[in-house]
Amino acid sequence: MLDMERYMTFMWDSRNLDVFSLLILPKPCLPRFLLTPKIKNDSAATFSNPFISSCCLLTPCNLPNTGRARGIGRTEEMESSSSSWKALLLMVFFLLPLLAEGMTRHYKFDVVEKSFTRLCSTKSIVTVNGQFPGPTLYAREDDTVVVKVVNRVKVNVTIHWHGVRQLRTGWADGPAYITQCPIQPGQSYVYNFTLAGQRGTLLWHAHISWQRATVHGAIVILPKRGVAYPFFPTPHKEVVLVLAEWWRSDVEAVIDEAMNSGRAPNVSDAHTINGHAGPVSGCASSAQDGFTVRVDKGKTYLLRIINAALNEDLFFKVAGHQLTVVEVDATYTKPFTTDTLLITPGQTTNVLLTADQGAGRYLVAASPFADSPLVAVDNRTATATVQYASSAHYFNTSGVFTDDFPGQPPIAFNYTGSGPSNMQTMNGTRLYRLPFNASVQLVLQDTGVIGPESHPIHLHGYNFFVVGRGVGNYDPKTSPSKFNLVDPVERNTIGVPTGGWTAIRFRADNPGVWFLHCHFEVHTSWGLKMAFVVDDGKGANESLLPPPSDLPAC
């Protein structure tokens, strides 16, 4: 039994310092409830994406009757038919396990520069396959995904598969200098991972410096073939909506200037929905800009919404329509209806939208959430349109890191107060070690240093349960009494409330090194980050796989 009273509080190196406390719990403390919804029928879900191919099973009518064509006698014909059936059964015997275990999906990502015009100005940006946002990766639950990434630009590159559990495949996780060295110019790397037990919407993005401003895209994990969505009604079509930010200047120059000056970086010049800002003042040609979702009256659509912005939480709303939330971070949730969503960077939310209004055009808006007068935000709203059809148209290398990440904050203070004048922050490569299969509680505490602010915190390699949250300082004696241990939401990214705290729990059952960081890129740049090293368990099935032969060298 692990010590229930042993609290370990993390303090991260950041001028906007946040404090993390961690409690190791015994296994029974994790929430107990059914993770996979019951499926009422086995009818296949319908998908509008042409990438998903149907599966055909051979039937007797597919087999030519060669016996009769050649005038073979009845006995020989029966023997020929018997042989054909044996061949068919043998083929089905070998095919069915493949269908049950999932397919292998192959993709190729060419990282290239391409010029885009936005806000009446043109600039060259780093992209995948020349697209902004990048291509959507489609697969099904339990499929294996193989992505060859070829770096054809002059800077280093990595790709992170945000929210993918990466069970024993930490080499494919992607954060630069955490699980791999970057893919250098002219080099390539093959990411190979299995979407084990996951279905829903996730995202992929670059994970080095601020490159993910333009290098990002959606991951759509469909249910296993023949398994229906657990919500109703079944959507007529599905639409991916990627929310992001756009700078007129080079984003790497923005963060370089900020790091050299010690000041906050310039905010973005616009927000975008699927790469388009919509009409903006000062740019006449932008009146024709904007993404359009075309709908038929009376039908229901599944919107897969992703916040790929670097530094801002975003509200999302469709004028005149209700949104029914059915999934967050590739985890089904109890459906609820709202007219406005708040999505932090790195989070995904799937909603059902029913086209139940009169014919016409309805505004779609993505606007920033501002919670501190001391933190500048880009207050411009990105717009799109919902248009009804009737209205028109493993290495054991020493000296790289230590596992002595502090279990207690060097300085204890009133975290939601103003804080001490000198935080005595420090740099280092210090990790926190977790035994395999440990049950972990992590308390994420916002602070008042510089000013209280929300933080989207993302844990690589894991989903976690959000068991509690509150305003002010977390109290280990009283706060747990308010925890939801019955049906907490399961996520991979959580917004820590302004001037408050959030408690999460997860099982450390995925060996490897796993990055934990704020998904505001500027905060990661300032040091709001750490990593867990999770030990191997017993045997091969509980151990990290060996690194691929083409893992990039530093």
Side-chain angles (χ1 to χ4, degrees):
M1 181 69 69
L2 294 170
D3 186 359
M4 291 276 293
E5 303 301 324
R6 185 158 59 96
Y7 283 86
M8 288 158 284
T9 307
F10 297 140
M11 185 161 67
W12 286 0
D13 176 19
S14 169
R15 290 185 302 170
N16 193 7
L17 192 69
D18 278 22
V19 176
F20 287 63
S21 70
L22 177 127
L23 170 63
I24 303 294
L25 299 175
K27 293 180 183 178
C29 294
L30 285 179
R32 297 180 178 178
F33 64 99
L34 193 61
L35 299 182
T36 304
K38 293 181 179 178
I39 307 301
K40 295 183 178 179
N41 58 67
D42 60 356
S43 61
T46 58
F47 310 107
S48 61
N49 193 286
F51 175 85
I52 306 303
S53 59
S54 59
C55 175
C56 297
L57 292 179
L58 293 174
T59 60
C61 62
N62 297 130
L63 301 175
N65 192 342
T66 54
R68 287 182 179 175
R70 296 177 181 173
I72 300 176
R74 179 174 178 81
T75 301
E76 294 179 70
E77 180 181 335
M78 291 178 65
E79 290 176 352
S80 175
S81 176
S82 175
S83 298
S84 298
W85 274 103
K86 289 178 181 178
L88 171 63
L89 291 174
L90 188 63
M91 189 174 296
V92 171
F93 176 80
F94 285 106
L95 279 175
L96 286 180
L98 295 176
L99 296 174
E101 293 176 5
M103 296 177 59
T104 298
R105 312 276 182 176
H106 291 268
Y107 286 86
K108 185 179 180 183
F109 281 13
D110 282 323
V111 181
V112 297
E113 288 194 17
K114 185 175 181 180
S115 293
F116 280 79
T117 300
R118 297 290 186 272
L119 312 181
C120 286
S121 65
T122 301
K123 73 170 184 175
S124 180
I125 62 173
V126 180
T127 69
V128 166
N129 298 352
Q131 301 175 40
F132 173 70
T136 298
L137 190 157
Y138 286 92
R140 288 187 181 274
E141 179 182 356
D142 290 343
D143 280 355
T144 294
V145 177
V146 179
V147 185
K148 182 177 182 179
V149 178
V150 182
N151 184 1
R152 304 187 189 277
V153 298
K154 298 178 181 179
V155 295
N156 291 341
V157 171
T158 69
I159 302 294
H160 169 52
W161 316 96
H162 187 111
V164 173
R165 288 292 309 279
Q166 298 290 1
L167 297 175
R168 301 173 55 238
T169 55
W171 310 110
D173 191 44
Y177 304 111
I178 304 296
T179 53
Q180 71 165 96
C181 294
I183 307 168
Q184 299 178 12
Q187 301 300 309
S188 65
Y189 180 52
V190 176
Y191 292 92
N192 189 327
F193 53 89
T194 299
L195 300 169
Q198 292 186 279
R199 87 295 294 160
T201 305
L202 296 172
L203 68 151
W204 61 263
H205 60 76
H207 213 310
I208 183 169
S209 190
W210 279 30
Q211 204 174 89
R212 73 176 172 92
T214 57
V215 180
H216 59 249
I219 302 174
V220 174
I221 312 172
L222 302 167
K224 294 179 180 180
R225 193 175 302 280
V227 176
Y229 288 130
F231 45 78
F232 183 83
T234 300
H236 171 63
K237 287 185 179 180
E238 305 182 11
V239 181
V240 172
L241 297 175
V242 181
L243 316 181
E245 295 177 87
W246 180 269
W247 278 260
R248 285 190 173 93
S249 55
D250 177 20
V251 292
E252 297 300 337
V254 171
I255 185 57
D256 287 348
E257 180 185 353
M259 296 298 285
N260 291 332
S261 67
R263 295 190 295 268
N266 293 333
V267 299
S268 56
D269 296 297
H271 295 103
T272 61
I273 301 175
N274 281 2
H276 298 274
V280 295
S281 61
C283 178
S285 64
S286 68
Q288 305 302 316
D289 190 28
F291 182 78
T292 299
V293 180
R294 302 184 185 277
V295 299
D296 294 324
K297 185 174 176 60
K299 293 186 177 179
T300 297
Y301 297 80
L302 180 67
L303 306 184
R304 298 176 177 268
I305 308 165
I306 299 167
N307 186 352
L310 259 67
N311 299 317
E312 294 183 357
D313 302 331
L314 293 172
F315 290 109
F316 178 88
K317 184 179 179 69
V318 179
H321 292 74
Q322 295 290 300
L323 306 172
T324 301
V325 178
V326 294
E327 177 216 307
V328 295
D329 289 356
T331 306
Y332 295 135
T333 186
K334 290 189 294 186
F336 68 92
T337 300
T338 182
D339 64 354
T340 305
L341 304 175
L342 177 62
I343 311 178
T344 77
Q347 288 186 335
T348 66
T349 302
N350 282 9
V351 300
L352 295 176
L353 178 144
T354 299
D356 55 5
Q357 300 300 303
R361 294 164 56 89
Y362 295 83
L363 196 68
V364 180
S367 56
F369 167 69
D371 60 350
S372 173
L374 301 176
V375 179
V377 298
D378 174 6
N379 61 10
R380 300 167 184 85
T381 297
T383 58
T385 303
V386 167
Q387 181 171 296
Y388 280 66
S390 58
S391 64
H393 2 94
Y394 185 30
F395 303 101
N396 188 22
T397 305
S398 61
V400 176
F401 70 90
T402 60
D403 58 3
D404 59 345
F405 192 92
Q408 298 280 342
I411 303 173
F413 61 97
N414 177 13
Y415 304 124
T416 53
S418 59
S421 58
N422 183 358
M423 292 304 303
Q424 302 178 28
T425 57
M426 63 189 72
N427 291 318
T429 310
R430 304 164 70 182
L431 279 61
Y432 195 91
R433 187 175 296 277
L434 291 171
F436 181 83
N437 221 30
S439 296
V440 183
Q441 175 176 297
L442 182 63
V443 175
L444 314 173
Q445 173 74 62
D446 183 36
T447 75
V449 177
I450 297 183
E453 183 181 0
S454 67
H455 297 277
I457 303 299
H458 173 49
L459 176 60
H460 290 222
Y462 289 92
N463 280 5
F464 50 74
F465 295 102
V466 184
V467 297
R469 60 189 296 151
V471 178
N473 294 331
Y474 174 79
D475 188 329
K477 295 181 180 179
T478 60
S479 298
S481 64
K482 301 176 182 179
F483 283 2
N484 174 12
L485 302 181
V486 178
D487 57 354
V489 67
E490 183 180 358
R491 306 203 71 134
N492 62 64
T493 305
I494 187 63
V496 177
T498 305
W501 56 271
T502 297
I504 65 174
R505 293 184 180 184
F506 66 95
R507 177 73 54 75
D509 55 2
N510 191 13
V513 178
W514 303 110
F515 203 20
L516 177 70
H517 63 103
C518 181
H519 224 264
F520 286 152
E521 208 66 50
V522 62
H523 291 175
T524 300
S525 299
W526 285 343
L528 196 50
K529 54 191 173 184
M530 62 83 64
F532 292 108
V533 54
V534 180
D535 292 334
D536 284 345
K538 297 179 180 180
N541 290 335
E542 296 181 356
S543 300
L544 182 66
L545 293 174
S549 60
D550 61 343
L551 186 73
C554 293

